[in-house]
Amino acid sequence: MLCAIYTRLSKEDEDKQQKESESIQNQKSLLIHYAVERGWDIYHIYCDEDYSGADSLRPDFNRMIQAAQEKKFQILLCKSQSRFTRDMELVEKYIHGLFPIWGIRFIAVADNADTEIKGNKKARQINGLINEWYLEDLSENIRMVFDMKRRQGQYIGGFPIYGYRKDPDNKGHLLVDPEAAEVVRQIFRWSLEGHGKQSIAHMLNDLGVVNPTRYKAERGWDSNHFCKQDFGLWNKNTVWRILRNEIYTGVMVQGRTKKASYKSKAIIVMPRDRWFRVEGTHEAIIDRETFETVQRNLDIRSREDGTGMVHPLAGLVKCMDCGSTMSKTSNGKKGKAQVYYLRCKLYADSGTQKLCTRHSIRLDRLMELVSQRIRDYIQAYYHLEELELPPPKDDHREALLQEQKTLSAQLEKRSTALKNLYLDKVSGVLSEGQFVELNQDFLAEKSRLELRLAQIDQELCGQEQPRNQEEVMTKARELLELKTLPRELAVMLIEKIEIGEQDPDTGQQEVKIHWKF
């Protein structure tokens, strides 16, 4: 008789006090001795380490099932039924369903379970239920601990988000990774300048900047994503995820998705009001104003033109009659003779039906009109020579002040978390071991924050803020001249622009600008 041996050990088993009795080596020794005593030849020893008993995608488990289906052995030996699976569905599918059809005898030595012995089925089913209840309880306990850490603003991801690295002294805290953080800042700058997602991806690839997956792999950081050995290219989806991620503003946002259940790998997208959002948990890479401006730009539906740029008024210009967005087109010429126009999208898309009229307007003239209107408002309300302009920013001082603000918020959160930790211990939510571990982590983190705040205070006291009023005035004059219209300014000030149809007799065309102020 040929028998196969299957052994398994998962992380949750390693955490128990039974590590010695549950170890892979001990399982193998026990089962080999059991087979030899009965004169059975061993076909193969299958082993899955660091795999849950609920995981149906275990590599050696599936190789063993394939061999069983091909009838390459007649007996399957496991130390216990839980080593084979903790999923009741798999118990019924294989042990009580397919194995008898394939002529496979299943034996769980420690459980005294043997499919050849009649009347043993109910005991196996009870074992299956107990194993599944264990998994369910374990999953719920793990979820509760993770949710507690999320509420406290601890980062629980397996690997750091691009732009950050994990604090070696506190795995739940993120530190800025200077090299990747500068790439993130550049992505936001390009987006503010009007570059589209695809254009930004192309520019990063042209500069030889590797994508986040390759970047992490090159540094030996764990990642859930497969990294090819010959590519590390950016794409528009990666750029989009970075531009939309609020974590770069110093806010910890987690719990946006969750698994449908401990038995399923299906992912459920959670509504925004159920996210875990904690401010001031780490140093910001992008300031809030920049982030919000980029979000407004992204929320306006717009396309890049042939140059990879989004024109400043994209998505803001509407047909006055049908309300359709005005789309960009050109006169078809090249070089200096090329002229861009905006026209009603419904007119352009409706073919011979012509459900609307062109409402065509030259883009450069519209942009000049909008810029002039903005200049008029500036001149009407602001007299530059009378303004008390602030001195120019000291970037290092600003960075220190921002870090001071962030760390102070973190310190306050840690103090609150410590109080909650004591309450959870008293109420029995946390075990003694969990409390001791978390309490040590919180105290160490609190000490680190206090030390860093003291260093920042000392450094700020030794600084003097530079003042150069004339330089500031010169830069302010250049800005108020508004020679070009930045897209971020257009999005910030304009709700929409309505374009009327040109009067064929007078050549007049109504342009109505709806401001946000």
Side-chain angles (χ1 to χ4, degrees):
M1 297 282 282
L2 285 176
C3 76
I5 289 175
Y6 180 74
T7 60
R8 180 188 64 80
L9 187 69
S10 62
K11 283 185 169 60
E12 68 261 23
D13 297 312
E14 289 179 348
D15 291 338
K16 295 189 300 184
Q17 297 292 321
Q18 306 168 358
K19 182 174 180 181
E20 180 64 27
S21 62
E22 292 289 353
S23 72
I24 290 292
Q25 191 57 48
N26 280 308
Q27 288 180 55
K28 289 179 181 178
S29 299
L30 171 69
L31 299 176
I32 290 171
H33 182 71
Y34 188 91
V36 170
E37 275 190 340
R38 285 152 183 78
W40 298 335
D41 294 325
I42 298 174
Y43 168 71
H44 191 75
I45 299 176
Y46 298 94
C47 175
D48 284 312
E49 196 158 5
D50 291 339
Y51 284 92
S52 167
D55 189 350
S56 61
L57 299 179
R58 289 168 273 160
D60 253 25
F61 177 85
N62 283 299
R63 280 190 282 270
M64 178 264 295
I65 292 295
Q66 181 63 36
Q69 186 176 6
E70 295 171 0
K71 301 181 180 180
K72 293 184 175 179
F73 57 85
Q74 295 79 44
I75 300 170
L76 175 60
L77 282 181
C78 294
K79 180 184 176 183
S80 64
Q81 187 172 297
S82 65
R83 299 302 94 200
F84 178 76
T85 183
R86 291 187 184 274
D87 189 336
M88 190 62 189
E89 290 181 13
L90 293 183
V91 170
E92 292 298 320
K93 179 179 179 180
Y94 291 113
I95 298 178
H96 299 150
L98 294 175
F99 282 180
I101 296 174
W102 297 339
I104 302 295
R105 176 183 175 186
F106 176 80
I107 298 175
V109 176
D111 297 337
N112 292 317
D114 188 340
T115 53
E116 195 175 75
I117 302 174
K118 292 183 178 181
N120 204 243
K121 182 176 180 180
K122 289 182 179 178
R124 292 193 300 272
Q125 290 174 324
I126 291 172
N127 277 338
L129 286 172
I130 292 172
N131 288 327
E132 187 152 327
W133 292 336
Y134 165 78
L135 267 186
E136 188 174 353
D137 289 344
L138 181 67
S139 174
E140 181 63 20
N141 290 336
I142 291 173
R143 186 193 63 78
M144 288 175 61
V145 171
F146 279 174
D147 282 354
M148 181 187 68
K149 290 184 176 182
R150 291 186 182 105
R151 282 192 293 271
Q152 294 166 349
Q154 296 190 55
Y155 185 73
I156 64 170
F159 55 95
I161 180 176
Y162 183 72
Y164 290 96
R165 58 185 177 85
K166 285 193 174 184
D167 187 337
D169 298 325
N170 179 5
K171 299 299 183 181
H173 179 239
L174 295 178
L175 299 176
V176 172
D177 176 24
E179 183 178 348
E182 185 52 41
V183 176
V184 172
R185 294 188 189 101
Q186 183 61 65
I187 289 172
F188 275 83
R189 284 196 291 267
W190 279 333
S191 181
L192 286 176
E193 291 169 5
H195 291 278
K197 300 182 290 292
Q198 189 66 60
S199 173
I200 292 173
H202 286 322
M203 288 190 289
L204 290 168
N205 291 332
D206 289 342
L207 290 172
V209 178
V210 296
N211 65 17
T213 303
R214 170 53 65 84
Y215 182 83
K216 294 170 188 174
E218 288 179 351
R219 280 148 186 79
W221 297 349
D222 290 334
S223 173
N224 290 337
H225 303 287
F226 172 72
C227 181
K228 295 182 179 179
Q229 297 303 312
D230 52 342
F231 301 114
L233 300 179
W234 288 78
N235 59 58
K236 64 181 181 181
N237 293 328
T238 305
V239 173
W240 184 88
R241 283 194 294 270
I242 287 175
L243 291 173
R244 286 294 195 183
N245 200 331
E246 194 181 7
I247 289 182
Y248 292 117
T249 66
V251 178
M252 185 61 70
V253 182
Q254 299 181 104
R256 286 182 281 195
T257 61
K258 74 170 188 176
K259 289 179 65 176
S261 77
Y262 69 94
K263 296 175 65 174
S264 171
K265 294 186 181 294
I267 299 297
I268 298 175
V269 178
M270 302 300 292
R272 182 178 290 270
D273 60 0
R274 295 186 63 185
W275 294 359
F276 294 87
R277 187 178 181 278
V278 184
E279 296 194 19
T281 60
H282 54 279
E283 182 182 346
I285 293 175
I286 304 298
D287 64 83
R288 171 58 59 177
E289 183 179 353
T290 298
F291 182 79
E292 294 297 344
T293 303
V294 168
Q295 302 318 297
R296 288 194 293 270
N297 290 348
L298 294 175
D299 288 339
I300 298 174
R301 296 183 62 186
S302 54
R303 290 186 178 181
E304 304 170 22
D305 59 22
T307 66
M309 296 289 289
V310 176
H311 72 80
L313 301 177
L316 297 172
V317 188
K318 310 291 181 180
C319 172
M320 189 175 289
D321 293 320
C322 71
S324 297
T325 301
M326 303 281 281
S327 59
K328 185 178 175 183
T329 186
S330 74
N331 60 0
K333 297 180 180 180
K334 301 293 183 181
K336 294 183 179 180
Q338 187 176 47
V339 178
Y340 287 104
Y341 294 86
L342 297 180
R343 62 179 178 177
C344 173
K345 192 172 187 301
L346 179 60
Y347 166 82
D349 293 346
S350 58
T352 57
Q353 297 182 57
K354 300 305 176 192
L355 299 178
C356 194
T357 54
R358 289 180 61 88
H359 294 72
S360 179
I361 187 171
R362 281 183 57 152
L363 178 59
D364 57 346
R365 292 175 182 171
L366 177 61
M367 288 177 61
E368 176 55 32
L369 172 63
V370 173
S371 297
Q372 186 57 52
R373 296 269 185 94
I374 296 175
R375 283 194 292 267
D376 291 343
Y377 275 113
I378 292 173
Q379 292 168 6
Y381 291 102
Y382 296 98
H383 300 284
L384 188 58
E385 305 306 328
E386 300 175 4
L387 293 178
E388 286 290 334
L389 295 179
K393 285 185 177 180
D394 179 341
D395 290 338
H396 181 59
R397 183 180 181 84
E398 288 293 324
L400 286 175
L401 290 170
Q402 178 61 42
E403 186 180 358
Q404 183 185 55
K405 180 181 177 182
T406 300
L407 293 179
S408 296
Q410 288 182 29
L411 189 59
E412 185 178 347
K413 297 286 184 186
R414 292 298 178 272
S415 298
T416 302
L418 275 169
K419 294 178 184 176
N420 292 334
L421 192 66
Y422 297 140
L423 292 175
D424 288 342
K425 172 64 173 66
V426 172
S427 61
V429 174
L430 293 176
S431 67
E432 183 70 30
Q434 290 172 327
F435 171 77
V436 170
E437 181 180 355
L438 291 173
N439 188 50
Q440 289 175 346
D441 290 342
F442 281 136
L443 290 175
E445 174 66 4
K446 187 170 180 287
S447 176
R448 186 190 69 80
L449 292 172
E450 290 172 340
L451 176 62
R452 178 55 185 156
L453 280 169
Q455 293 172 345
I456 291 174
D457 289 338
Q458 186 177 1
E459 192 170 348
L460 286 173
C461 288
Q463 280 191 339
E464 290 187 2
Q465 193 170 6
R467 305 184 68 89
N468 188 338
Q469 187 76 1
E470 185 55 39
E471 182 182 349
V472 176
M473 294 287 281
T474 301
K475 291 183 178 180
R477 289 189 189 98
E478 293 175 357
L479 176 63
L480 296 183
E481 286 178 5
L482 204 67
K483 293 179 180 179
T484 59
L485 178 61
R487 175 161 174 78
E488 59 267 30
L489 183 61
V491 172
M492 186 181 302
L493 298 179
I494 299 170
E495 186 69 44
K496 66 177 178 178
I497 303 171
E498 292 184 305
I499 308 296
E501 184 59 84
Q502 189 177 57
D503 189 313
D505 298 324
T506 64
Q508 296 296 312
Q509 186 173 23
E510 184 179 4
V511 176
K512 187 181 295 184
I513 303 176
H514 297 263
W515 303 98
K516 289 183 176 179
F517 55 88

